[in-house]
Amino acid sequence: MKRSLLKLYYKNTTAEVIGEEHGITKEQFENLAKITSPVTDLLDAERQAGKTPYRQLPYKTENLKNIQNLAADLMNQGCENFVVLGIGGSALGNIALQTALNPYMYNLDSDQRKGPRLFVFDNVDPVQLSSFLDWCTPQLDKTIFNVISKSGRTAETASQLLIVRKLLTDKLGAEGFKNQVVATTDPEKGTLRAIANDAGLRCLQVPDGVGGRFSVLSDVGLLSAAICGIDIEELLAGARAMDSKVSEKDFYKNPAMINAAINFHYYNQGKKNSVMMPYNYALKDLSDWYRQLWAESLGKTKDLNGNDVFVGPTPIKALGTTDQHSQVQLYREGPNDKLFTFLQVENFENDLEIGPEPQCAPELGFLAGAKMSKLLNSEKKATEYALLHDKRPCLTVLFDEVNAHTIGQFIYLYEVTTSYAGALFNINTYDQPAVELGKEATFALMGKEGFEELAKKIGPVTKIDENYIV
Ligand code: PA5
């Protein structure tokens, strides 16, 4: 595995390339350096004070043995299906790691698989879950459910757990529930902790003070990764390597600082949308993970002084080349209100040579014999060129290759970029008060005790008014 470092390429945001109206001038970069550089000390102080424990996750190597031992125990127990029950920060990282680091046909082809099949349920769709449970019920003894929830009272995860608990207890008895479920939750408190203690479940921890969206490099993301054959030591090593880069004091040497500053600049210039567009299928779910990280961390009503600011760039996920045929018309000719971040890979794990052109189609000769990776990266460059032609600013994160080390780096780079951006926006990066109201409203609508008053308020607002139906 190559341990090369990720690079952030930012020339295509400069005035030199896209002009002064949309590009960043040297003077503006100097100003950004001035306002962003002091944030490094602020983030360091927060870290030293233990306020951002996610920064230390890559150093918790002593914990890896626990995770690997548990993964080995589960395999010895005959685990063929590993099912994550979780939502938001308790699922998106797991999905992203799996898509990035395991083959596309992992679940279907046992030859391509180093561990059990992996399924992640981060929704409460009865049709989807029934289909899965119908398939897996005859093999429940070969299925491990990893329920991940810091609180345990998140309605989605709790409902999945209760369904699975009943199924397991009905089919395999109380012992079955105990043997087939692993809980990842708060070390001491919360609903899931109580259930786990009561049933004697094996447990891992959601570390204290680490919000779901910053938790992928903890037990939350690492158990499913480890059991599916992902090198979790390399993931953490990559994050540590990136920690040195994002701890640099020099603005021009610190990719998190520059990335956050550029995003902050464009937000203030009216480019309030941030599109992440990987040109590599393996990286596709990292942009989904990024979408939650960016949105929940930076979308805030109040700043730290209590002023109303209603701030927050809107993260958008796209995939090259798929979305060239779906979104690029808008991206080029629609409003110039977006910053683009491409993810580009230099060396692919596997490649294909495009076959010869048929005699009747000589116009396809330009493709014949070329590597598919060359076509993919040419399409990235072509899209970037087309966007730059229309003065749309573009960043690129350059991966030498996709492996556990570079993915660990990427995760840490974006987590720290988010901390820088939150500090620039002067908001609380780590809370998500707006998500809570929706969770409580669900409790109210489902008749939970203590939420009666809220239920009364929701009724009139959400009741269908027949006068407005056509
Ligand atoms: O990032 C977050 O904190 C959220 O997305 C949570 O992960 C999500 O709401 C699930 O919460 P819990 O882990 O308590 O079930």
Side-chain angles (χ1 to χ4, degrees), residues 87-90 149-151 154 212-213 292 296 432 439:
I87 196 163
S90 299
S149 176
K150 190 170 176 74
S151 59
T154 306
R213 57 192 179 275
Q292 185 212 12
E296 279 195 354
Q432 59 283 329
K439 284 189 182 182

Side-chain angles (χ1 to χ4, degrees), residues 71 101 130 139 148 165 181 233 251 321 350 366 370 380 392 395 403 426 428 454 456:
L101 297 169
S130 321
Q139 34 174 337
I148 308 177
R165 177 173 170 268
V181 178
E233 293 184 24
F251 178 77
T321 64
N350 291 310
F366 74 102
K380 182 266 175 179
R392 316 281 152 143
L395 288 165
N403 59 42
N426 190 33
N428 182 344
L454 183 54
K456 280 186 208 152

Side-chain angles (χ1 to χ4, degrees), residues 294-327:
W294 208 238
E296 279 195 354
S297 302
L298 302 181
K300 300 288 153 76
T301 302
K302 302 266 183 210
D303 69 11
L304 291 174
N305 307 322
N307 303 314
D308 280 350
V309 285
F310 298 101
V311 82
T314 300
I316 297 167
K317 58 173 181 169
L319 178 65
T321 64
T322 308
D323 286 316
Q324 287 174 206
H325 302 268
S326 159
Q327 302 296 297

